[in-house]
Amino acid sequence: MEIFKSFSFEAAHRLPHVPEGHKCARLHGHSFRVRVTIDGPVDPHAGWVIDFADLSAAMRPLHDRLDHRYLNEIAGLENPTSEVLARWIWRELRPRLPWLRAVEVRETCTTGCVYRGDDAS
């Protein structure tokens, strides 16, 4: 069974490694949307994979570190692309959520990425 919960946060960033003149080199902000997906068996007694409140509790410290922040100042997010952010969130959540299946990051309504932990870097 897969379940998911969505979260949002507001943050500013700039991308330091884009070509000169690229619009994303300038400081700008997004209303980021993050979807965390868990994969696991349904507990026969509780009737769920995990309590959504527990999923929210696992994400809360990350939300506090990201919301209304300048992402480039956070260790590991010096080049805060959606891909880097998704991997960073995965690595932070995985110890608390061993059944983590995917982290989706959307920086606009039409752009984003999905990370499934299949990358060794």
Side-chain angles (χ1 to χ4, degrees):
M1 184 76 64
E2 281 189 1
I3 64 163
F4 64 88
K5 185 156 180 64
S6 296
F7 305 90
S8 63
F9 65 93
E10 309 293 326
H13 73 158
R14 59 177 293 282
L15 302 184
H17 304 301
V18 294
E20 187 175 331
H22 193 285
K23 68 181 182 176
C24 292
R26 296 188 301 269
L27 180 63
H28 62 284
H30 293 288
S31 295
F32 287 92
R33 304 288 180 256
V34 176
R35 180 171 142 155
V36 175
T37 302
I38 302 294
D39 181 321
V42 176
D43 180 286
H45 179 72
W48 60 33
V49 175
I50 185 175
D51 186 338
F52 285 116
D54 293 338
L55 190 49
S56 293
M59 186 64 182
R60 190 169 300 116
L62 297 182
H63 181 271
D64 292 346
R65 290 171 62 191
L66 297 169
D67 190 42
H68 285 81
R69 307 291 180 172
Y70 177 43
L71 298 181
N72 299 67
E73 294 178 342
I74 298 171
L77 295 178
E78 295 83 5
N79 182 31
T81 63
S82 291
E83 295 88 343
V84 169
L85 182 56
R87 185 185 298 132
W88 184 89
I89 292 170
W90 173 281
R91 289 177 177 168
E92 294 291 319
L93 280 179
R94 182 67 180 208
R96 288 179 229 139
L97 298 172
W99 292 338
L100 185 60
R101 173 74 171 159
V103 173
E104 178 179 326
V105 172
R106 290 179 177 251
E107 59 181 56
T108 72
C109 295
T110 60
T111 60
C113 74
V114 178
Y115 182 67
R116 292 186 178 86
D118 54 4
D119 179 336
S121 61

